[in-house]
Amino acid sequence: MRLLVVEDSPDLSQQLRQSLAEAGFAVDLAMDGEEALHLGNTEPYDAVVLDLGLPRLDGLSVLRRWREADRAMPVILLTARDSWTEKVAGLNAGADDYLAKPFIMAELIARLNALIRRAVGVAKPELVFGEVRVDTAARTVTRAGAPIRVTAMEYGMLAYLALNAGRPVSKTELTEHLYAQDFDRDSNTLEVIAGRIRRKLGDGLIETIRGQGYRMVPPG
Ligand code: CA
C-alpha cells in the first residue's frame, strides 16, 4: 500500500516516513501544499496523511481541491490537539478521519489500515482464502493455522491482491501501489515475488491472467 505523507516539519516528516515504511507502506513525502496537491492529483495513493498548517497552500485547501477534482483516496488529517473547529472543518472538507498531534504511531497505522480496508469495501481485518488467512491488522499470514514467514514485499503484494480479490490487477497497478515514487521500479520483480508467494501459500491462490496481470481467488 502506498501513502502520501504531507508534513512540513522535517523531523516529524522523517519520523513518519521511517515508521510507516517499517509498517510496510511505500511512502512518498510532500513538504508543502503545492507539492501535495500535484502528487495527490497525479499518483494513485491508497491513503494520505495530511497536516493542515503547510507552506504555500494550506492543508484544507489542498483537500478541497482534491475532492473537487474527484480524487477519492482516504485522507487522515493531523490536527492541533484541542481544536474541534479544525476537525469539523476538515471532515466537512472531505477528510475521512483525523488524529490530533502529538499522536501515537501505532494509532495512526491502525487508522490507516482501517481506512484502506473501508476504501475497497472490506470491513473485516482478517481475509480468508481457503486455508490461507491474511490478517491486515497484524500483517501476518497463516496457512492451515501455521504462521508463514513472508517478506515485506511478499506481504505487500499479497495484501493488495487480497483486498482486491476477484478482479484482475495489472502489473502497472501493482507497481504503482507497492513502490514509492523514488524507488527503482522493475515489473519483472513482481513475477519473482508472485512465485515466492505461490511456493509458500500454494499454487491456487493467485492466478496469472495473460496480458492482464494477477487475480487473487475470491475469499471464502
Ligand atoms: Ca505544519
Side-chain angles (χ1 to χ4, degrees), residues 99-115:
L99 199 54
K101 290 183 183 180
F103 55 86
I104 305 293
M105 206 58 79
E107 183 177 356
L108 176 61
I109 291 166
R111 286 176 184 272
L112 284 168
N113 281 331
L115 287 177

Side-chain angles (χ1 to χ4, degrees), residues 7-9 51-55 101:
E7 169 57 62
D8 59 314
S9 146
D51 185 33
L52 286 177
L54 295 169
K101 290 183 183 180

Side-chain angles (χ1 to χ4, degrees), residues 110-133:
R111 286 176 184 272
L112 284 168
N113 281 331
L115 287 177
I116 289 169
R117 282 196 300 271
R118 281 293 182 186
V120 292
V122 173
K124 267 196 311 186
E126 189 182 55
L127 305 169
V128 181
F129 302 88
E131 62 178 9
V132 173
R133 288 170 178 262

Side-chain angles (χ1 to χ4, degrees), residues 43-203:
E43 298 289 327
Y45 295 107
D46 294 296
V48 177
V49 179
L50 179 64
D51 185 33
L52 286 177
L54 295 169
R56 298 182 72 194
L57 184 64
D58 69 279
L60 216 52
S61 301
V62 172
L63 177 59
R64 285 202 187 97
R65 292 205 203 170
W66 280 337
R67 295 315 192 210
E68 276 163 19
D70 288 329
R71 302 297 285 172
M73 66 282 191
V75 173
I76 182 163
L77 299 177
L78 301 180
T79 67
R81 171 136 301 276
D82 290 318
S83 177
W84 67 267
T85 49
E86 223 172 70
K87 294 164 189 166
V88 169
L91 292 169
N92 284 339
D96 300 275
D97 199 359
Y98 62 80
L99 199 54
K101 290 183 183 180
F103 55 86
I104 305 293
M105 206 58 79
E107 183 177 356
L108 176 61
I109 291 166
R111 286 176 184 272
L112 284 168
N113 281 331
L115 287 177
I116 289 169
R117 282 196 300 271
R118 281 293 182 186
V120 292
V122 173
K124 267 196 311 186
E126 189 182 55
L127 305 169
V128 181
F129 302 88
E131 62 178 9
V132 173
R133 288 170 178 262
V134 181
D135 186 333
T136 60
R139 296 180 51 81
T140 55
V141 183
T142 59
R143 182 181 185 183
I148 303 293
R149 215 182 273 260
V150 289
T151 66
M153 277 312 292
E154 288 163 16
Y155 178 82
M157 183 170 177
L158 184 65
Y160 192 84
L161 291 175
L163 285 169
N164 293 281
R167 81 169 170 89
V169 177
S170 70
K171 286 184 183 177
T172 305
E173 180 178 344
L174 271 174
T175 303
E176 283 177 338
H177 288 269
L178 297 182
Y179 297 107
Q181 200 184 29
D182 53 5
F183 197 88
D184 186 18
R185 300 165 180 201
D186 176 3
S187 71
N188 290 328
T189 314
L190 294 176
E191 287 170 28
V192 177
I193 298 167
R196 292 203 304 246
I197 294 173
R198 287 181 176 128
R199 276 197 294 283
K200 292 179 182 183
L201 300 176
D203 278 341

